[in-house]
Each structure stands twice: as structure tokens, then as C-alpha cells.
Amino acid sequence: INFYAVFFLNKYFLFISRFSLLLLNLEEYYFEQHTANHIINKGCRDERKFRGSLKICSKSIIFEPDDNIQPIIKIPLRDCISIKAPEDNEASNPFTRDTSGRFSVVCNQVFLIKERNIIAPYKTVRGRTEHLFQLDVAGKLGDVVQNLHQLYRASCLDKMGDQAAMITAILQSRLARTSFDKNRFQSISETLHMECKAEMVTPLVTNPGHVCVTDANLYFQPLNGYPKPVVQITLQNVRRIYKRRHGLMPLGLEVFCTENDLCSDIYLKFYNYQDRDELYFLIATYIENHITEHTAESYMLQWQRGHISNYQYLLHLNNLADRSCNDLSQYPVFPWIIADYSSSVLDLTKPETFRDLSKPVGALNKERLDRLLTRYREMPEPKFMYGSHYSSPGYVLFYLVRVAPEYMLCLQNGKFDHADRMFNSLAETWKNCLDGATDFKELIPEFYENDASFLVNSLKLDLGKRQGGKMVEDVELPPWASGPDDFLQKSQEALESQYVSEHLHEWIDLIFGYKQKGNEAVAAHNVFHPLTYEGGVDLNSIMDPNEKVALLTQILEFGQTPKQLFTTPHPRRIIPKLKSLSRTSSHSVSIAESPVSPNEESFEDLTEESITLAWNNIAKLKLDEQYKIHKEAITGIAVTCSGSSVFTTSQDSTLKMFSKESKTIQRSVSFSNMALSSCLILPGDTTVISSSWDNHIYFYSIAFGRQQDILMGHDDAVSKICWRDGRLYSASWDSTVKVWHCVPGEISSNKKHHFELLAELEHDVSVNTIDLNTANTILASGTKEGTISVWDVTTGTVLHQLPCHSGTVFDAAFSPDSRHLLSTGEDCCFKVIDVQTGMLISSVTADEPQRCFKWDGNTILSGSQSGELQIWDLLGGKVIERIKGHTGAVTSMWMNEQCNSVITGGEDKQIMFWKLQY
């Protein structure tokens, strides 16, 4: 036996049998097989018998000889003239003896496949031929002939919808007569949770059978026992599970036992969405305790912060957008990145090396686009700019024909494409995508992976001869690639380059984001045929089965647009600030990119390293000291630059000054009988400011030990204050945040502070917390009803407003780079907002409210309602450490600049001093 390997989707499959489901037509089912002989030249001197396997399929009869020299015979049922057993043909009586188990098939056309076990276009034999088969088990003859007659009648129906309906009825009848074989369970102690009918989906084909899920395993048993009696998935190994659209219907389910693989372990299509949803619930419930469900927003946060690569992020987005390697009409789509296929050296520092990622392929050539737009304007509704899609089964197999030839033959009725239309050259293909009237295709993930097999004709396929006489062999590579592996290596480097990292969000907007549909799509020249979009047609509303089948076939062959994941502009990736930019980007240059002296830069590096070290070891935070200094809950903590004095405010209405050295209270001040809500120390350590529930803000002189000034600026309690660059920001339950310019007073001359109101940011409800970004240009506010607002302080206008929490927002803070805003609320949730776009990009739920926190953009140190300090891996969405702290809620938290010293205050009236112990 000659073994051959069919490569597909980066996995090799080794078949001993030459038969595969790819020999069937699209939308055809394989029902059963029988060991049989194919008899040639019956009754003649040269009569021969070829032993093999007879396959009964919904639209054809397939005979696979054991002898690999002989071709597989495929007889389309629609081309049959007669299917008869001996008793049906006694008049002519060609069977004189040894007729047990025999039947004949007379047909007008037959296909010969894989003769001498060579993958090649099918040979077509036209004209009347007779084929005589003899079953090993003669007793099955009646059933086999009866089944073939039934399927033959279905194939002779004029309308495709009627054919599909009759075949579906036959299939459902077969499934109803069978059930899952419980003897296939891995253990006799397994408990059955659910059993239903479904189909296992692989590229271009589906295989019907029975699905069974127990308390330990997921099973699929094919009706035909092919390719093996049972497929088994251990639930403990499941890492990801996705609901899928299949054939435009919400009937698919895909299960992955790996975290980052392109290919799943099983893809199932159900006959109703209730079965699909029930199975999803059972598996999701099983795995939810040890697997975090990722959303597009959570992956976005990981990508923005450099925790996953551009390749990994695109892979995750494809998965979430219903793209699957098992569905060629929804195959993962990746962008063309490189635009230079002629240079001898690939220069990734030059912008012109790259394709413009802000435009779809169809808009990259202005002349072609102008022609398309002229046609678009003259077109009646529904309008579209491009008559073909950027991803379709034909395009996928265009790239993969050298490793997946049988898939191409299946899709194209036993033929390869014309040699000149094959994937012959990278430069030619790119040029055609730029200039071709109907070619707008993007790339597939394989261009950015490690297996270059799809570029090499290692199977020695006869793919035809081009004009000029040249045979189609390996793909012609650009001059800058020394070979297929080098081409992939350089393609990967291009995908992960700084230019692409700076601009990939623009392509995501087109394919998965807000420019995919509507007016934004029109403005971006990104409009495809309406049938390619999710919701473009409701198949359930189409009553005519023939129209439905025709429409579905058209949609699946044409390709489908991914599910829309984002409806607002996608945030940019955060580029490490000390890297030199390869190209001036559209956003403003950061402060860190301005010239600094070597000493300043070294000091900054050293500080950043110490902060990174501290956060990497934040789980080693240990309680150093604790003191009960107030009579009610502590609401604010401020520390002098030297660290010697700690000021605290409390609901007991007092401001206290605690000496770290003497471990005693040195000052205790009460401004009124109302609670104080927060405090801060002005630069120079001479003045402490406290906010109060009595609507006032108090200035206290440390040096002179007395109230220095009072700001009566609000009509309700002041909840939080911030000080930046001579400006005071005050939040209040009177539904405002006010910005004040303060001119300091002089105690010795009794000169008071002068306050000038610069801005008033009005809200609908009480404001509970505020924070400012490092540039002091953007302010975030959180209200008692859960709304987060992001304000441009320079203009006093709101940039974004999101209903993030249900209930009060307890705390909110910008990340150190000011790209993200984290908030926590009464609803036990952490929420992350991208500041640039206002998009909610992550939501993590805790088991109790987190009252206050500090974070570095990736890790959170939070104070909980129960008094614990909790350390969270935000990207992983989980607690990584719990540290016992207060008895009662942690209500206030301070952290030093080096991030290695923490002070917390709680409802237990205590302050606790924490230190990192490396």
C-alpha cells in the first residue's frame, strides 16, 4: 500500500484508505459501506473481480477497490438509468448462476478517481456503461437496492430544494432508528447528561451522527462509522468553546483543547439551536471553574499592552468572529502586510514597504477604485462596491492547493483551476489584487506561520501547464526571500513590526470593527454584497425550499464577512516609549520621545525598573505595623515626601497627623462635626487639604498648626479632591466636578488663598470619585449610579460617557501610561476603558466589592469589602493572591512612588503599613 499525506490547516493526516468524504459532492452525505466485488466483463473469458468497499452516499455510489492500481469508481445517482437486482431482471436473465448478493447499475456517466493512487483531476467516462456488484453479505441486498432506489428518486427531482428536503428526510429517518452506543463510554461509571443528533463539520463536508455528553467526556459517533467509530473529547482538556454560525444559522459549536491553536478538536453542527445551546451550557458549566472566558475586549487589552503578538490577536479575533478552519466560507482572514515583492532586500524601516492598512484591498489602487465608485453610484439598491469578497472557499484553496489538492477537486467538481489562474507567484498575486477588476482577496494565517509546505509542490501534483509551456510547480517567491522558510520568517517579522503595530487597528476597524457596516463602511470604501453580511438575509423567512437552497449555495461559495466585534474605533497598540518610531504616526509624540540628557534617561530607566520589580513581586506584600487612630472609618491617606508623617481623614470628622517615627498621633483637628472624605498634601509639605461632607474644602497649615483657609465651593458633600499644577479638582454629591485655580496664601500675613473657578463639569447625579491622567489634560469621574465619564479638562467637554457599573463607582484611576482607565464599583466588577476611543475593553467580576485600588496597567492591588488585600492579574481575569488585612472594608489606600510601600485604612478605624519583602 502506498501511503500519502494530505496536508491541511497545518496538520498532516495519513490515510490507509484512499476514500475520503472529499470524494462526495458538496452537501452530500455518506450513509453506509459494504464489502463487495466489482465484476468486470461478466460471463466473458476475461471476467475479473475486484474486491473492495461499496459506499452508499446520498447522491452517488462509490466503489473503492482494495487494489490501489485500480481507480475509485464514482457513479452519480442522477446519471443512473437503472439499479436492478436479479429478480428485477429475469426476462433477459444475465445471471445464470452464483447470483447471490449481486445487483447491476447502468449509467450514462462515471468518474474514475485516484488511479494508481495519484491525486489528479477526475477522469470522466461518458456513455452507457453497466457495473455489476456482488455484496459479501447477500442478505443485505434487498435493503441496499431499496435504499439506492429511494436515493435515486431524490436525485431525479427537478428542483434542488425538493432534492435536499427528501435527502434530509432519509437522513433523519436513519438517525431516528439509531442511537449512541453506550458501550463506547470510557468508563462504566460515567453519567449521561445529554444525547442528540448532530453533524461533525470538516472543511467542505459534514458527517451526521449522534452526540453524547457525560460528566467526563464529549462523544461523537458517526452514523457511518467513518473515519473512526467514536470521536472522544475529555472535558477536563477543553480550553475554549465557541458558538458558531454555520450556513448562516446559529447551529454550530466548536471545541478547542488548546489555548492558541488555529485548529479545533471538534466542530459540531446541530439540527436546532436548542440542542446546540444546551450542549454549550453543559460544557461551559464544566469548564468555567478553571477556564476564564475571553472576550474581544480582554484580548484587546492583552494586545495593547504587548502580552500577545499581532498574530495571536488576529487569531483570537477571527475565532470570536465565527471564523473557523473547518468552514472554508468563514476561514480565518489575515491582511496583506508587505507591498514590496521586487526588492532584493526587505526593508522593514521604510513605510513604503508596507500596504496601507487603513484601506481595504479594493481601495488600494485609486484608478480601479474610481471605476468601482462610478459603477456604485449608478447602481440601484442594494448597492455594493465589490462584486467579490476578500475571503471565500475558492480563495482559501487558491493558496492551499499544493497541500490540499483534494479539497480543490471537491470544490471544483473534480478539476483543478486553469494553470494561469493558479497561485504561481507572490508578486503576480499581489499585482492582481491591486489591479484586477474582481480580485480583492486578503491572505490566510498560513502566511504568518512556520510551515511553508503550501508554497512547495512536494506532492508532485500535475497542476497544469502555463501559457509559454512552463509547468506549475513551487510558488515563485520575491527576490528578498532565500527560500520558503525565509519568506515566512520575514513575513512574520513584518507582521510584528513597529509599523504594523502602529496601524493594525485600522485594518481591524475594516474587517471586524465599526467600518465594516453602515455609513462608516461607505466612507471607507468597504461595502460588499449585502448577502455576505451577518443578518443580510433571514433564511427562516424564505418559504420556497428551492430559493433557500440556491441562496445558501450562493452565499457559502461567495464568502462571508466576519461577525462584527467592535462598533467604535479600535484603540491603537501601546508602543514602548523608548523605541524610536519607524514612521511619524498620526498621534502626538509622547513626552518620553523628546530629547533628554543621558543622566535623566538613565534615572528614568532606573525608576521604571524598580517600579516593574515592585509590581512583579507585589504578592510578597507583608504587614509591617498597624494602629487604631480614629473612631470611625478612614476615608483618606496622605504622606509627606520624607515619609515621616501620615495624614488621615475619617468619618469621625477629624484630620489626624501620625508620626511614623514616634508611632504617635501628633495632631488631631476637627473642622466641623461632619465627616471628612479625603485629603492630600500640597507640594512642599506645608499644607494639607481636606474635603468634607459639609460641602467645604479645608486648608490646614502644617507649620502653623491651624486652619489656613476654607473653600465653600459646592452645594452638597465634597467626595474627592485632587491637586495638579496649582489646580484643585473637587468632586461633589451636588453632581459637579469643579476645577479651581489656587493662589497660595501667606500665613504670616494672614493672606488667604485666592480661588478662581476655571471649569464646572456637570453630571446628572452625585459624583463619588475622580482621577486625572499624567498630563493633567483628561479627568475621569465616577458617579453613584455607576456612570464613568471621561472629560477633556482643557475644553471642559465630555469625551466619553459609559454606564459601566450598576451602583456606586467606588474608585477610578488611569494607568501609568494614561491609555486605560480602571474603575471598580458596588457591582463587584472591575471595568477597563480605552481612553482614546472610550471603548469598554475588559470586565472582570470579583466575588465581593473592591472599595479601592492601585494598579500598574496589568496588575491590581485592591482593598476588598471584607478587608482583604487582593492581587489581580487583570489580563487573566483572576485573583493571584489574597492577603488578610482589615476587619471590615478597606476604604482607603496610599502607595509610594516606588510602589514598594503601601498604607491602607479601613472601616475598623485602623491604618496598616505594608512593605514588600523580596
Side-chain angles (χ1 to χ4, degrees):
I1 297 175
N2 294 320
F3 295 92
Y4 69 93
V6 176
F7 171 92
F8 193 64
L9 314 176
N10 294 330
K11 292 185 177 180
Y12 283 93
F13 299 95
L14 193 64
F15 295 103
I16 295 175
S17 168
R18 289 185 293 161
F19 172 80
S20 85
L21 296 178
L22 293 169
L23 300 185
L24 278 59
N25 293 350
L26 297 177
E27 304 297 318
E28 183 175 9
Y29 297 110
Y30 164 36
F31 286 139
E32 62 190 55
Q33 73 90 26
H34 303 274
T35 305
N37 288 316
H38 181 213
I39 302 172
I40 305 292
N41 300 328
K42 169 64 183 168
C44 299
R45 211 178 257 186
D46 57 347
E47 176 180 320
R48 299 176 65 191
K49 287 184 180 181
F50 294 100
R51 190 161 183 76
S53 174
L54 186 73
K55 323 283 185 182
I56 308 299
C57 306
S58 59
K59 298 179 181 179
S60 60
I61 304 168
I62 296 176
F63 181 76
E64 178 192 14
D66 292 344
D67 182 358
N68 284 348
I69 300 297
Q70 298 299 315
I72 294 172
I73 299 169
K74 178 179 178 179
I75 306 171
L77 287 169
R78 69 173 183 274
D79 292 325
C80 288
I81 299 169
S82 67
I83 302 170
K84 294 184 179 181
E87 55 268 30
D88 298 326
N89 196 23
E90 287 178 353
S92 56
N93 194 20
F95 305 97
T96 55
R97 65 185 186 281
D98 192 23
T99 60
S100 176
R102 293 185 179 184
F103 70 97
S104 69
V105 178
V106 180
C107 60
N108 287 322
Q109 182 172 250
V110 64
F111 297 106
L112 305 181
I113 306 168
K114 287 187 182 176
E115 188 172 3
R116 299 183 179 276
N117 207 14
I118 295 171
I119 302 172
Y122 303 169
K123 292 181 180 177
T124 305
V125 178
R126 293 185 175 88
R128 183 186 177 99
T129 56
E130 182 175 6
H131 300 268
L132 185 60
F133 301 101
Q134 183 173 23
L135 303 179
D136 270 17
V137 182
K140 293 185 176 180
L141 179 62
D143 288 341
V144 168
V145 173
Q146 183 180 355
N147 290 337
L148 287 174
H149 282 163
Q150 190 180 31
L151 292 167
Y152 170 68
R153 286 195 297 274
S155 69
C156 290
L157 294 172
D158 291 335
K159 297 181 177 179
M160 294 297 294
D162 295 337
Q163 288 185 30
M166 186 169 177
I167 290 171
T168 298
I170 294 169
L171 170 63
Q172 292 301 322
S173 174
R174 283 173 172 262
L175 287 169
R177 295 196 304 268
T178 57
S179 62
F180 186 88
D181 181 4
K182 308 301 188 296
N183 293 320
R184 295 288 182 178
F185 282 178
Q186 292 288 301
S187 167
I188 58 172
S189 62
E190 284 186 65
T191 303
L192 175 65
H193 286 324
M194 178 190 177
E195 180 181 350
C196 67
K197 299 174 287 185
E199 296 176 12
M200 188 168 80
V201 179
T202 52
L204 299 181
V205 291
T206 61
N207 202 12
H210 296 275
V211 170
C212 195
V213 64
T214 69
D215 55 349
N217 293 291
L218 168 67
Y219 298 96
F220 176 76
Q221 185 172 34
L223 184 65
N224 50 35
Y226 179 88
K228 57 182 180 179
V230 169
V231 178
Q232 179 244 330
I233 305 286
T234 304
L235 294 182
Q236 196 171 352
N237 294 337
V238 174
R239 289 294 173 268
R240 293 177 288 147
I241 179 170
Y242 297 98
K243 292 180 180 179
R244 294 289 191 219
R245 236 183 346 154
H246 188 272
L248 301 187
M249 303 290 282
L251 300 174
L253 188 73
E254 194 161 22
V255 179
F256 292 77
C257 291
T258 55
E259 194 57 52
N260 293 308
D261 264 14
L262 183 64
C263 302
S264 65
D265 290 81
I266 193 168
Y267 186 137
L268 297 169
K269 171 200 168 188
F270 296 81
Y271 295 112
N272 60 72
Y273 71 87
Q274 292 93 340
D275 284 346
R276 191 277 303 269
D277 290 350
E278 184 179 351
L279 188 68
Y280 177 89
F281 174 78
L282 287 170
I283 298 177
T285 302
Y286 181 91
I287 68 175
E288 68 179 353
N289 293 326
H290 61 280
I291 301 295
T292 302
E293 183 177 358
H294 288 289
T295 61
E297 290 76 18
S298 67
Y299 283 126
M300 179 202 294
L301 186 62
Q302 293 184 54
W303 171 73
Q304 271 197 291
R305 298 208 157 272
H307 288 253
I308 58 176
S309 65
N310 291 339
Y311 169 82
Q312 289 171 318
Y313 185 45
L314 290 176
L315 208 59
H316 289 309
L317 292 184
N318 272 284
N319 255 324
L320 291 166
D322 276 346
R323 313 302 284 188
S324 168
C325 291
N326 285 304
D327 185 350
L328 295 189
S329 68
Q330 299 188 92
Y331 199 78
V333 56
F334 270 60
W336 283 97
I337 293 294
I338 300 168
D340 178 5
Y341 294 94
S342 58
S343 300
S344 57
V345 176
L346 186 68
D347 187 348
L348 297 180
T349 65
K350 292 164 56 180
E352 52 268 29
T353 297
F354 298 93
R355 164 259 184 102
D356 185 345
L357 289 165
S358 68
K359 298 176 181 178
V361 169
L364 292 175
N365 180 332
K366 187 178 183 305
E367 289 182 12
R368 178 178 64 176
L369 178 63
D370 288 342
R371 292 195 300 270
L372 292 169
L373 290 177
T374 300
R375 187 191 67 174
Y376 171 76
R377 294 185 192 102
E378 296 169 353
M379 189 182 292
E381 294 291 346
K383 294 184 175 187
F384 54 90
M385 296 175 185
Y386 309 114
S388 63
H389 205 254
Y390 51 76
S391 175
S392 70
Y395 288 162
V396 173
L397 295 177
F398 167 84
Y399 292 125
L400 296 179
V401 64
R402 288 167 177 79
V403 290
E406 290 187 274
Y407 292 84
M408 175 70 86
L409 293 172
C410 176
L411 184 69
Q412 300 202 150
N413 300 313
K415 300 182 182 70
F416 289 134
D417 205 347
H418 189 279
D420 286 303
R421 290 196 295 269
M422 285 282 190
F423 180 31
N424 292 302
S425 156
L426 262 303
E428 281 182 19
T429 302
W430 170 244
K431 185 178 185 303
N432 204 51
C433 287
L434 288 180
D435 302 336
T438 60
D439 193 349
F440 315 107
K441 59 179 170 285
E442 292 279 9
L443 295 183
I444 56 175
E446 282 78 358
F447 279 83
Y448 303 104
E449 293 174 355
N450 297 318
D451 197 321
S453 302
F454 74 101
L455 299 170
V456 182
N457 187 14
S458 56
L459 295 176
K460 303 302 178 187
L461 301 166
D462 182 357
L463 297 172
K465 189 179 290 186
R466 303 187 65 183
Q467 287 182 1
K470 186 178 180 182
M471 296 297 294
V472 176
E473 291 293 343
D474 299 346
V475 177
E476 185 181 329
L477 302 173
W480 47 256
S482 62
D485 291 335
D486 185 55
F487 170 77
L488 290 192
Q489 176 65 34
K490 286 185 169 68
S491 296
Q492 291 171 21
E493 291 170 4
L495 179 61
E496 304 303 331
S497 67
Q498 182 146 337
Y499 177 88
V500 174
S501 292
E502 288 174 354
H503 295 278
L504 187 59
H505 65 281
E506 297 171 332
W507 186 82
I508 293 170
D509 283 336
L510 295 168
I511 307 300
F512 303 105
Y514 82 111
K515 291 183 179 179
Q516 187 197 87
K517 299 177 183 177
N519 292 333
E520 293 289 352
V522 175
H525 305 133
N526 194 39
V527 182
F528 294 86
H529 195 285
L531 291 180
T532 66
Y533 295 94
E534 184 178 26
V537 61
D538 180 8
L539 286 179
N540 290 324
S541 68
I542 300 173
M543 295 297 104
D544 184 343
N546 302 297
E547 183 185 347
K548 183 181 290 189
V549 168
L551 195 60
L552 183 59
T553 302
Q554 178 185 348
I555 291 166
L556 297 184
E557 291 182 0
F558 191 84
Q560 296 175 65
T561 300
K563 180 163 66 176
Q564 190 174 27
L565 299 178
F566 309 107
T567 54
T568 56
H570 191 287
R572 296 184 179 95
R573 195 172 199 188
I574 299 170
I575 308 299
K577 62 183 179 180
L578 293 178
K579 283 187 180 179
S580 60
L581 292 179
S582 60
R583 177 175 184 243
T584 303
S585 56
S586 56
H587 55 283
S588 59
V589 178
S590 68
I591 295 168
E593 286 157 4
S594 59
V596 292
S597 70
N599 289 337
E600 287 176 306
E601 191 169 86
S602 299
F603 178 76
E604 183 182 329
D605 286 349
L606 192 62
T607 304
E608 284 193 6
E609 283 180 18
S610 65
I611 291 172
T612 301
L613 180 65
W615 276 103
N616 287 343
N617 291 275
I618 201 73
K620 297 176 182 176
L621 206 60
K622 302 294 181 187
L623 181 61
D624 188 35
E625 299 171 289
Q626 62 188 92
Y627 303 96
K628 186 174 180 180
I629 61 173
H630 281 280
K631 294 178 181 178
E632 295 293 340
I634 292 166
T635 56
I637 302 170
V639 182
T640 56
C641 289
S642 64
S644 60
S645 297
V646 179
F647 288 85
T648 57
T649 51
S650 168
Q651 288 183 6
D652 65 9
S653 79
T654 63
L655 168 70
K656 294 186 186 288
M657 175 178 166
F658 181 83
S659 171
K660 189 78 192 313
E661 294 172 4
S662 64
K663 306 184 190 331
T664 59
I665 298 172
Q666 295 189 329
R667 307 266 178 91
S668 183
V669 184
S670 185
F671 303 112
S672 73
N673 61 355
M674 298 287 282
L676 298 177
S677 57
S678 66
C679 63
L680 57 85
I681 301 176
L682 293 186
D685 287 353
T686 58
T687 305
V688 179
I689 310 179
S690 301
S691 57
S692 173
W693 284 7
D694 68 1
N695 312 352
H696 300 158
I697 299 168
Y698 296 93
F699 290 70
Y700 175 79
S701 170
I702 300 173
F704 289 89
R706 69 178 185 224
Q707 178 180 314
Q708 183 179 348
D709 214 337
I710 181 170
L711 172 60
M712 295 178 281
H714 287 278
D715 299 323
D716 205 338
V718 182
S719 52
K720 183 80 179 282
I721 52 174
C722 294
W723 179 277
R724 299 284 179 86
D725 289 344
R727 292 185 178 183
L728 176 68
Y729 302 81
S730 58
S732 171
W733 294 353
D734 67 4
S735 306
T736 67
V737 174
K738 293 185 178 180
V739 185
W740 309 87
H741 177 62
C742 298
V743 179
E746 296 176 9
I747 295 296
S748 57
S749 63
N750 286 327
K751 184 180 177 183
K752 299 291 185 182
H753 283 75
H754 171 68
F755 302 106
E756 178 189 355
L757 181 62
L758 299 178
E760 184 172 334
L761 313 179
E762 294 187 358
H763 298 67
D764 295 329
V765 292
S766 300
V767 183
N768 200 57
T769 187
I770 54 172
D771 190 46
L772 281 109
N773 68 346
T774 51
N776 306 325
T777 55
I778 298 176
L779 179 143
S781 58
T783 71
K784 282 194 171 184
E785 290 189 0
T787 300
I788 294 288
S789 299
V790 180
W791 300 81
D792 182 340
V793 179
T794 59
T795 61
T797 56
V798 66
L799 300 175
H800 314 293
Q801 198 166 61
L802 291 88
C804 280
H805 298 274
S806 55
T808 301
V809 179
F810 286 137
D811 201 0
F814 288 93
S815 56
D817 59 15
S818 299
R819 296 293 295 269
H820 295 128
L821 176 71
L822 176 67
S823 61
T824 182
E826 197 176 354
D827 56 2
C828 306
C829 290
F830 285 112
K831 299 291 179 81
V832 181
I833 295 170
D834 180 80
V835 176
Q836 175 206 348
T837 62
M839 183 185 291
L840 180 65
I841 61 173
S842 184
S843 180
V844 177
T845 304
D847 52 11
E848 60 175 329
Q850 305 298 305
R851 296 288 295 273
C852 52
F853 66 85
K854 300 293 179 184
W855 74 311
D856 72 338
N858 301 314
T859 305
I860 308 168
L861 171 66
S862 65
S864 71
Q865 185 74 32
S866 65
E868 281 184 333
L869 294 191
Q870 297 183 2
I871 296 160
W872 290 79
D873 171 13
L874 180 60
L875 302 178
K878 59 188 177 184
V879 179
I880 54 178
E881 191 68 50
R882 296 175 185 268
I883 304 171
K884 190 174 180 181
H886 295 264
T887 55
V890 183
T891 51
S892 188
M893 183 181 292
W894 172 89
M895 177 182 274
N896 68 343
E897 189 178 344
Q898 290 74 34
C899 305
N900 57 16
S901 178
V902 174
I903 305 173
T904 57
E907 282 183 346
D908 58 3
K909 309 156 193 175
Q910 295 191 94
I911 56 170
M912 293 184 171
F913 294 83
W914 307 82
K915 281 189 176 179
L916 275 184
Q917 296 183 0
Y918 297 108

